[in-house]
């Protein structure tokens, strides 16, 4: 956010421009060669200068409606969180991951000898699946969905992203991708005459970045349960 100190040079330049231009505008000659008052021209120019001053002062302090609810989420920090989560899951040390990364849990009573995994749609199931066999046959399938933060322009948007869904019917566990979330963002940009002095990028020079965090489905299954996959899902067993 721009502070008042950084606005003073801009205001000074605009005032100087208005003074010199106002002195240069004296009289306007019409097409008949008669002199007429140029007060209307001075009023138009004065209004333009006033608009520049208002935009310069007000725009930097305008925030989007929900901007205050979004926390900072630098990409390098998100990448580190994702690597930590993946390494912990692969090593069977998922319990070392904090609860903040747990998005959803499921517990299924299951007494069948086999379990089939399938994806609910034809889309690719992007979530990495890790499977850990328990030391006993307790007739329970435990599923935990972990996800690190996602960001747009270094802003944390994790709270608006939906989790995956699981449904168990008979001997079929169906995996469903997250429902798509629609995000709308607005960008406030200084007007062109001001950006010439501040060096800020124009509206057409702004670039947006999106980074999706690491997501993992961690399954704990009974010791002797036979697990089969009916779809191309990425499954890794934990020793």
């Amino acid at each position: 956010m721009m502070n008042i100190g950084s606005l003073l040079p801009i205001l000074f330049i605009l005032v100087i421009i208005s003074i010199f231009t106002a002195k240069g505008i004296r009289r306007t000659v019409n097409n008949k060669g008669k002199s007429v008052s140029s007060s209307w021209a001075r009023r138009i120019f004065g209004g333009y200068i006033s608009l520049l001053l208002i935009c310069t002062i007000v725009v930097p302090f305008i925030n989007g409606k929900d901007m205050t609810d979004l926390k900072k989420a630098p990409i390098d920090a998100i990448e580190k969180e994702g690597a930590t989560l993946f390494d912990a899951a692969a090593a069977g040390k998922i319990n070392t991951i904090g609860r903040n990364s747990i998005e959803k849990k499921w517990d299924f009573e299951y007494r069948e000898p086999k379990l089939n995994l399938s994806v609910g749609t034809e889309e690719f199931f992007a979530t990495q699946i890790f499977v850990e066999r328990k030391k006993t046959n307790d007739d329970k399938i435990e599923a935990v969905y972990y996800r690190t933060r996602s960001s747009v322009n270094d802003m944390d948007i994790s709270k608006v992203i939906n989790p995956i869904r699981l449904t168990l019917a008979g001997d079929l566990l169906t995996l469903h991708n997250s429902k798509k979330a629609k995000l709308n963002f607005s960008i406030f940009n200084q007007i062109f005459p001001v950006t010439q002095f501040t060096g800020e990028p124009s509206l057409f020079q702004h670039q947006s970045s999106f980074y999706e965090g690491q997501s993992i489905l961690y399954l704990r299954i009974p010791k002797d349960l036979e697990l089969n996959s009916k779809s191309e899902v990425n499954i890794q067993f934990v020793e």
Side-chain angles (χ1 to χ4, degrees):
M1 180 178 293
M2 187 178 294
N3 55 42
I4 298 299
S6 62
L7 293 174
L8 291 179
I10 303 173
L11 297 177
F12 177 76
I13 292 172
L14 293 176
V15 170
I16 293 298
I17 293 175
S18 63
I19 292 174
F20 278 95
T21 308
K23 287 183 177 181
I25 301 175
R26 296 300 182 185
R27 292 182 179 277
T28 302
V29 179
N30 62 12
N31 57 0
K32 295 182 179 180
K34 295 180 179 180
S35 296
V36 295
S37 173
S38 60
S39 61
W40 64 272
R42 289 197 297 271
R43 290 176 182 175
I44 293 176
F45 185 79
Y48 178 69
I49 294 299
S50 300
L51 179 61
L52 292 181
L53 294 177
I54 293 173
C55 291
T56 302
I57 295 173
V58 174
V59 170
F61 300 96
I62 298 178
N63 286 324
K65 181 178 180 181
D66 298 321
M67 287 290 290
T68 55
D69 297 332
L70 299 179
K71 298 180 180 179
K72 288 291 185 179
I75 291 179
D76 55 348
I78 297 177
E79 290 179 337
K80 185 176 181 181
E81 292 172 4
T84 300
L85 174 61
F86 187 91
D87 292 342
K93 299 179 180 180
I94 196 68
N95 290 332
T96 62
I97 299 299
R99 292 183 175 272
N100 291 337
S101 296
I102 297 178
E103 189 74 14
K104 195 168 183 178
K105 293 182 177 182
W106 299 264
D107 289 311
F108 300 106
E109 292 286 341
Y110 194 76
R111 293 179 173 81
E112 300 297 327
K114 298 180 181 180
L115 176 67
N116 297 307
L117 289 182
S118 179
V119 177
T121 65
E122 295 180 356
E123 298 178 4
F124 175 71
F125 190 73
T127 300
Q128 171 71 52
I129 302 174
F130 285 91
V131 178
E132 175 187 335
R133 291 191 179 278
K134 302 177 185 180
K135 294 181 180 180
T136 60
N137 292 313
D138 59 356
D139 299 327
K140 291 183 180 180
I141 297 174
E142 302 170 24
V144 184
Y145 178 57
Y146 294 84
R147 185 178 64 195
T148 59
R149 296 179 295 171
S150 297
S151 71
V152 169
N153 295 341
D154 290 338
M155 296 181 295
D156 188 354
I157 61 168
S158 304
K159 65 179 182 179
V160 300
I161 298 180
N162 299 308
I164 63 173
R165 294 162 293 147
L166 304 184
T167 55
L168 179 64
D171 62 352
L172 180 63
L173 179 62
T174 305
L175 315 176
H176 303 272
N177 283 308
S178 304
K179 291 184 178 180
K180 294 182 180 180
K182 184 178 181 180
L183 305 177
N184 294 316
F185 290 89
S186 298
I187 298 177
F188 290 93
N189 195 72
Q190 293 281 19
I191 55 180
F192 175 71
V194 175
T195 59
Q196 293 183 95
F197 300 111
T198 62
E200 298 177 42
S202 67
L203 181 61
F204 299 102
Q205 292 175 319
H206 279 286
Q207 295 182 348
S208 296
S209 62
F210 171 74
Y211 189 88
E212 186 175 4
Q214 176 71 57
S215 60
I216 285 176
L217 176 63
Y218 199 92
L219 297 176
R220 289 188 175 94
I221 63 175
K223 177 183 177 182
D224 297 324
L225 178 64
E226 181 181 335
L227 187 63
N228 301 311
S229 176
K230 289 188 174 182
S231 306
E232 293 184 3
V233 291
N234 195 358
I235 300 176
Q236 183 172 334
F237 285 88
V238 177
E239 297 295 334

